[in-house]
Amino acid sequence: MSSGSNGARRIASVLRPSIANPGVCRSCQEKTLGRRSYAAAATNTAEISSSPSSTTAFPVIKPSYTINAGVLLSRPPQITRDLTPFEKAYFFYQKRLNERLALPFTKYFYFKRGTPADEDWKRKIRERQTAARDIGKYNAYADDAWNDELLVGAAESEPDHQVEMLVQDAEATVNATSQDTSKKEEIPRPFSRMTEADQQGDMKSLNRALQRTLYLFVQSKDGYWKLPSSPIEKEETLRLAVERTLAQSAGVNMNTWLVGFHPVGHHVYNFKKPRLDEANGIEHRGEKTFYIKGRIMTGQADLTVNTQGLKDFKWLAKEEIPKFVGLTYYSNIKNMLADR
């Protein structure tokens, strides 16, 4: 036999594998092909019944999914993010390095040696040990000025500590130069990054986790948490469906802005057992939800007049969401969520 015939046999065996071929998996070998529970769009009942190999006419069952419109409503960060421990130590080191190298104070240009002003300057330096209160006890002119790195766990690296030291220094300066010694001047402190809602753990408040993006989640009548969604009605676009869903679920007491007209992600939920509608020839497989991104400007969610039977709502950051939703649901929506 020629080599060409052998090559043709090998190609034929690849295109049409034998049952005994060990390269075919067991599931494919043992699987018996039966009637499918659905038909393609090009196939109709007449074609099935007129087939010479068909003895019984089966009804055409079309698979179907309920299409939902969902909204990814978020509140953007209000303040800068928290610094990492490495960033805190690095910025603190740069402050001390700047104190030692870049900004040496030429005191004799301002204070003549031996004058009362020179002695007063030396006394203040001895008391403060530094020209900048926010970098801790550090003398840039001492023999150990080279030791300007921060020890692990030192409080001087914390921004709150640095702010407090600067405020205390400003208060001391103001009170020392004030003509009225009967009352003590107080410098207003900056607002804390931790709000009252953070301290109380109020997840319904928008005035919490100011450095993070918060997302609106609602609790259905069945008790599970999800992003607001509802089925798209007839002759309704996705954008209009999202606007209606937002009003019906979280109320109209919010000033919101939808970012676009196209979905940023989707979630597919398959029923454990398909629901057959024999009257219409439809087999309901599950739900497909498409989400449009939105922003809340002002206002707050209100479920008192919702028409979806919702029980509760929360504003959650990305790292808080897995505590309330299922693993599959979170895996489908996590790529829509901002890391910050």
Side-chain angles (χ1 to χ4, degrees), residues 137-154:
K137 297 290 185 180
Y138 175 71
N139 187 355
Y141 302 97
D143 295 336
D144 58 348
W146 56 270
N147 189 17
D148 50 14
E149 295 185 6
L150 185 69
L151 298 179
V152 176

Side-chain angles (χ1 to χ4, degrees), residues 37-39 59-67 271 273-286:
S37 60
Y38 62 91
V60 177
I61 304 298
K62 298 180 180 179
S64 176
Y65 282 85
T66 301
I67 306 301
F271 297 145
K273 185 178 181 181
R275 303 170 185 175
L276 183 62
D277 183 2
E278 296 182 356
N280 298 318
I282 297 176
E283 185 184 56
H284 295 282
R285 296 291 186 86

Side-chain angles (χ1 to χ4, degrees), residues 238-310:
L238 180 61
R239 169 81 175 224
L240 293 176
V242 166
E243 294 175 354
R244 174 185 53 78
T245 298
L246 197 56
Q248 292 179 351
S249 59
V252 296
N253 190 29
M254 292 189 297
N255 182 8
T256 59
W257 172 61
L258 296 181
V259 175
F261 292 84
H262 303 285
V264 295
H266 74 283
H267 166 64
V268 179
Y269 172 69
N270 294 308
F271 297 145
K272 293 183 178 179
K273 185 178 181 181
R275 303 170 185 175
L276 183 62
D277 183 2
E278 296 182 356
N280 298 318
I282 297 176
E283 185 184 56
H284 295 282
R285 296 291 186 86
E287 299 178 349
K288 293 183 179 180
T289 307
F290 297 87
Y291 298 97
I292 286 183
K293 183 182 294 185
R295 296 284 197 187
I296 180 172
M297 306 303 178
T298 58
Q300 177 59 288
D302 183 13
L303 303 185
T304 56
V305 293
N306 84 88
T307 59
Q308 299 181 5
L310 302 177

